[in-house]
Amino acid sequence: MRFLASRRRHPAAKWLLLLFALFVLGGAYNAFAPAEQVSADTGNSQQVAQGRALFAVGCASCHGLNGEGQTTSTIQGPPLIGVGAAAVDFQVSSGRMPMSKPEAQAPVKPNRYTDDEIAALAAFVASLGPGPAIPAAADYDPASVKEEDIARGGELFRTNCSACHNFEGAGGALPGGKYAPSLIGVSNKRLYEAMLTGPQQMPVFSDEVMRPEDKRAVIAYLNDLHSRPIDGGLALGGLGPVSEGLWAWIIGIGGLVLFAMWITARGAKAK
Amino acid sequence: MTEDQGAEGDYERGHGDLRIGHGDHSISSDHSAEITRLDETHYPVPDPGHPEHLPRLADVDPGAANRATRQVATFFGLVPLFAIAFGVVYFAVPGDSYFHFGPLRANARNLGLGVSFGLGLLCIGLGAVQWARTLMDDHEMVDYRHGAASAGEDKEYLITELQKTADEAQLTRRKVIGRSLLGALATIFLPMLIGLADLGPWPTKKKRAATIEATIWKEGIRLVHDVTYKPIKAADLEIGQLVNAEPENLKDLEGTAFLQAKAKAAIIIVRMNPNTIKIPDSRKDWQVGGILCYSKICTHVGCPISLWEQQTHHLLCPCHQSTFDLGDSGVVVFGPAARALPQLPITTDADGYLVARSGFTVPTGPSYFERDSRRDFKRGDN
C-alpha cells in the first residue's frame, strides 16, 4: 500500500487510473449487458431488411410499399399495419398470398416461399405495427386438452364457426363468389392463426375474448371430429341437405323413374 | 262397374272416335254423336286412339314364353337364397366388423342384412314385373265410368224412405222434439270452444309488450360470451372481431324460461373501423369506438345469424339469404327480411366492460301480424 500511496502523485497515475476505470466499466458492461438480444437485434434488422425487399417484389403492388394499403385504385389491397406476423404466416404459407389475380377471395394454392422468406416477410410486417405474433407450438397443440374441454370446444365451434364453416367444418358458400373454406385437413397452426387474425371475410376471435385454451379446445374438437370414423355409410361430404338432396333426387327418384319406364315400356313385339 | 269391353270387341281401335262411355247406361246414337262433335271443337288435334295391338314374342313363340317363364321363376327362386343369406349374416358376421370401400364405411352386419333383404324384395318385384310384361294377357281394355250423380229413381226412393222414417218417429207431428234435439246437439259441443283458451293468452297489446316484445336486457346488464359467460372488455375487441353474446342475467334462468329468454335476447357484437361505417346522429352514443351490438335473431322468420363478413360488414342469414349491413344500422340490403336488425345501445361500465344502455328499443325477432314496425330504423334515417 505504501508503494501505491507514495506514487499517487506520479504523472502517470492519472492516466493509469483512467485506464483502469475504463477496463472496469467495459468489463462490467460485458458481464451485465443482454448480449443475446444485441445479436438478435442485428439479426432481426437483417431479417426485416430481407422482408422489406421480398415485400417490395411480391406484395407492394397491392398493399403499398410500406404496407399502407390501396383502397382507391383499381388494384386494391388492405393496409397491413398492425395485422401482425401471424397473419403473414397464415396467408403466405397457405399460398393465399400473394394473389395471382384480383378476385372475390384468395384461394389456397402452392406456396412458393421458403420458411426463411416467410419469416422475413412476417418480421417486416410485424415491424410496421404491433399485431399478433406467430403462435408457438404450445399455443395450438391440442394434446393437453381434456375430454370435457373437447366437448366445450364443440359448443364453441357450433356457436362461433358453424354458421359459415358448416357443422362438420366442411366449408360453405358466402355471397358474391366468396366462401368459407373447408377445415378438413387444415393444420392446427393455421386453424389457430385464422382465429387469431381473421383472414379475409372471417371475423377476428382475439385471445382476450376467445382465450388460447378456448381456441385449443376448438382445434381439439375439429381433430376429434375429423379423425372419427363415419359409421353411417356414405357421408356425402357432410354437407347436409345439399348433397343428400342431390342423392335423393338424382339417384333415388331417378332410379324409380327408370324402373317405372321399364315397367310401362313396350317390350319386343312379334312383328 | 268394370266391364271388359275390349275383349268383346265393342269399340274400334285407332279411328279417333273413342267414345266417352257411361257404364251400363246405354248411349243413344244421338248422344254419342254429340260427344264426338264436342271433341272436335275442344281438341284441335284429333285423338289418335290406341296404337295397333301387336302380339308379343312370348305370345307367338313357345320358346320365348318358356324363356320368360324361366326368368320369372329364377327371380322368385333367388328370394329364398337371399332369405338364407340374411339368416347367415345375422349369426355369422360379428357386430363390430366394418366394411371399407372407398368413401363407404359401414357396419358389415348391418350392410349384409340390408343388402340381402333388399335384394330379396327386389327379386320379388323384378319377377312380378317381368311376369306381367311377358306372359300375362296384355289386351287393352276400356273401363267405363258412371256419372257421379245418382239416378232419379234412387233419389226419390231415398227421400220417401227418409220421410217414412220421420213419420214413424213422429217427428213431423211433434216438431218440438226435433227442434229441441237440434238445440241440444248444438249446445253440447259449444263448451269445447272454451278449451281453445288453453292455446295461450289473448295477445293484447299489453300482453305482447310483456312477453314477445320484451327481452331480459335492461340498463347496466353486462354483455357476456355466449358459451363461456365471460364478460367482454371493450379494449379486448379488435377491429373485425365478432362475438356471439348474451345478457349476463341469462345465467340466472333455467329450463323453459332460459330458452325463451335466450331466443329473444341473443346478440352479436362486432367491432368495425368507425371511419368506414355510417353511424346516424341518433345512435352516436349507442356504440363504443366502433363496437356495435345487434340482435342475433333474423327479422324475417327468426333464424339466429352470425355469418358476418368483416370486410363488407354484411351479415347473411343462412336460411333465406336476408343480408343486413351492420355498418349502416343493420338495414336490409338483400333478401326477404322487411325490417332492419334491431340494435342494442351499449356503453362501458367503470371497469371497462361492455354493458347495455337500455333494452332493445324495438321488439327483436321475426315479424308477426300485430307487430308495429313504425319505430324500426329505415335506410336514410338519422
Side-chain angles (χ1 to χ4, degrees):
Chain A
M1 286 310 279
R2 193 188 295 154
F3 172 78
L4 282 179
S6 61
R7 278 160 181 79
R8 72 182 193 276
R9 296 190 192 283
H10 192 275
K14 198 162 59 181
W15 300 104
L16 277 171
L17 205 63
L18 194 65
L19 206 64
F20 177 72
L22 280 172
F23 265 111
V24 169
L25 211 66
Y29 179 81
N30 256 340
F32 291 108
E36 302 87 336
Q37 194 175 319
V38 173
S39 64
D41 190 53
T42 47
N44 196 25
S45 57
Q46 277 171 9
Q47 206 181 21
V48 169
Q50 188 201 350
R52 181 188 292 279
L54 286 166
F55 191 88
V57 174
C59 321
S61 57
C62 300
H63 291 292
L65 267 175
N66 295 306
E68 70 275 17
Q70 283 175 195
T71 50
T72 48
S73 55
T74 46
I75 297 176
Q76 298 199 346
L80 299 183
I81 295 161
V83 300
V88 179
D89 189 62
F90 175 86
Q91 300 279 3
V92 180
S93 70
S94 66
R96 287 181 169 87
M97 291 289 154
M99 283 174 91
S100 52
K101 59 176 189 281
E103 55 189 319
Q105 185 163 334
V108 173
K109 59 182 185 298
N111 160 38
R112 300 287 178 209
Y113 287 89
T114 65
D115 289 350
D116 287 343
E117 287 170 333
I118 294 171
L121 275 171
F124 169 66
V125 172
S127 74
L128 300 175
I134 299 173
D139 290 332
Y140 55 79
D141 183 18
S144 61
V145 178
K146 294 195 290 287
E147 296 246 310
E148 63 263 34
D149 289 329
I150 294 179
R152 200 173 53 90
E155 210 180 329
L156 285 164
F157 180 83
R158 287 187 294 276
T159 305
N160 293 292
C161 322
S162 66
C164 304
H165 288 287
N166 156 302
F167 36 80
E168 280 206 350
L174 295 175
K178 290 163 282 190
Y179 54 91
S182 167
L183 304 180
I184 298 166
V186 177
S187 73
N188 295 337
K189 187 185 186 187
R190 281 207 199 129
L191 290 172
Y192 193 95
E193 285 174 340
M195 287 187 266
L196 192 63
T197 62
Q200 306 196 35
Q201 294 297 346
M202 177 166 161
V204 180
F205 295 92
S206 71
D207 273 349
E208 290 76 16
V209 180
M210 180 89 97
R211 296 163 301 183
E213 60 260 40
D214 295 335
K215 290 192 175 76
R216 274 196 294 279
V218 170
I219 292 171
Y221 171 74
L222 283 173
N223 289 348
D224 184 67
L225 185 69
H226 295 151
S227 63
R228 204 175 274 269
I230 299 155
D231 291 339
L234 278 175
L236 301 174
L239 295 175
V242 176
S243 55
E244 284 163 23
L246 274 176
W247 183 270
W249 281 100
I250 292 175
I251 310 286
I253 306 284
L256 291 179
V257 166
L258 289 180
F259 259 106
M261 284 166 68
W262 173 64
I263 289 170
T264 57
R266 284 160 59 86
K269 296 293 174 187
K271 63 169 181 177
Chain B
M1 159 158 182
T2 306
E3 204 175 2
D4 194 350
Q5 301 278 13
E8 294 163 22
D10 189 40
Y11 84 103
E12 294 164 332
R13 237 183 251 118
H15 292 105
D17 64 343
L18 182 66
R19 284 167 302 186
I20 295 170
H22 286 259
D24 54 352
H25 303 281
S26 57
I27 310 158
S28 72
S29 57
D30 291 352
H31 196 181
S32 100
E34 188 191 351
I35 291 171
T36 312
R37 202 167 59 245
L38 271 177
D39 276 354
E40 278 165 3
T41 47
H42 282 85
Y43 304 105
V45 178
D47 179 2
H50 283 214
E52 191 190 353
H53 181 79
L54 297 171
R56 296 161 302 181
L57 218 52
D59 293 335
V60 293
D61 178 6
N66 288 341
R67 201 160 53 242
T69 311
R70 280 198 301 276
Q71 285 167 352
V72 174
T74 307
F75 279 129
F76 290 156
L78 282 172
V79 176
L81 298 183
F82 286 121
I84 292 166
F86 185 92
V88 169
V89 168
Y90 187 89
F91 289 108
V93 179
D96 57 355
S97 66
Y98 286 88
F99 174 83
H100 294 268
F101 184 76
L104 179 70
R105 182 182 188 281
N107 182 294
R109 184 194 275 169
N110 285 348
L111 188 73
L113 293 178
V115 165
S116 56
F117 189 71
L119 285 178
L121 277 179
L122 183 70
C123 281
I124 294 177
L126 289 175
V129 172
Q130 183 70 356
W131 179 15
R133 279 168 51 84
T134 55
L135 295 169
M136 284 187 192
D137 193 37
D138 76 331
H139 62 265
E140 292 88 356
M141 61 187 202
V142 175
D143 198 357
Y144 287 111
R145 273 186 302 165
H146 295 279
S150 300
E153 62 263 36
D154 289 349
K155 286 184 199 165
E156 272 167 35
Y157 172 74
L158 183 72
I159 288 166
T160 41
E161 279 299 298
L162 280 176
Q163 192 62 47
K164 209 167 85 190
T165 314
D167 289 345
E168 284 170 2
Q170 305 215 356
L171 269 177
T172 38
R173 256 182 70 206
R174 305 177 194 279
K175 289 203 165 64
V176 69
I177 294 180
R179 286 171 189 164
S180 58
L181 176 64
L182 273 181
L185 290 176
T187 45
I188 194 66
F189 291 109
L190 273 180
M192 291 187 180
L193 292 178
I194 296 171
L196 296 179
D198 282 350
L199 290 176
W202 193 255
T204 57
K205 195 170 166 53
K206 208 171 134 192
K207 186 56 99 177
R208 292 198 307 271
T211 53
I212 49 173
E213 293 176 7
T215 67
I216 57 173
W217 284 108
K218 51 181 186 273
E219 189 182 349
I221 298 287
R222 274 184 180 170
L223 284 61
V224 295
H225 195 275
D226 187 320
V227 177
T228 59
Y229 285 106
K230 206 171 152 297
I232 296 149
K233 262 203 166 112
D236 291 344
L237 295 181
E238 293 173 15
I239 286 177
Q241 180 134 13
L242 165 89
V243 185
N244 294 285
E246 300 288 345
E248 191 169 35
N249 50 355
L250 181 70
K251 62 182 169 191
D252 305 334
L253 300 175
E254 278 176 19
T256 309
F258 171 87
L259 291 175
Q260 287 181 343
K262 186 174 183 178
K264 292 181 290 179
I267 51 162
I268 50 170
I269 309 165
V270 290
R271 183 163 202 167
M272 296 169 279
N273 182 349
N275 301 322
T276 62
I277 60 175
K278 280 190 229 168
I279 300 173
D281 291 339
S282 59
R283 295 187 170 189
K284 276 267 185 282
D285 54 356
W286 285 27
Q287 48 94 32
V288 182
I291 303 175
L292 279 74
C293 176
Y294 290 93
S295 166
K296 192 179 171 174
I297 314 301
C298 183
T299 59
H300 176 223
V301 285
C303 291
I305 354 172
S306 59
L307 209 158
W308 185 60
E309 299 185 347
Q310 64 134 315
Q311 290 175 12
T312 60
H313 307 151
H314 287 176
L315 183 73
L316 174 81
C317 180
C319 293
H320 305 99
Q321 284 70 49
S322 291
T323 309
F324 303 89
D325 189 352
L326 301 196
D328 188 10
S329 301
V331 296
V332 182
V333 291
F334 181 79
R339 293 178 286 106
L341 213 54
Q343 188 179 347
L344 183 74
I346 54 169
T347 183
T348 49
D349 65 8
D351 300 324
Y353 290 107
L354 293 174
V355 295
R357 288 183 79 91
S358 72
F360 279 101
T361 56
V362 293
T364 62
S367 296
Y368 47 90
F369 187 76
E370 298 92 341
R371 192 188 182 286
D372 184 358
S373 54
R374 281 171 295 186
R375 293 184 57 225
D376 287 301
F377 190 90
K378 286 165 204 70
R379 187 193 294 270
D381 285 359
N382 200 7

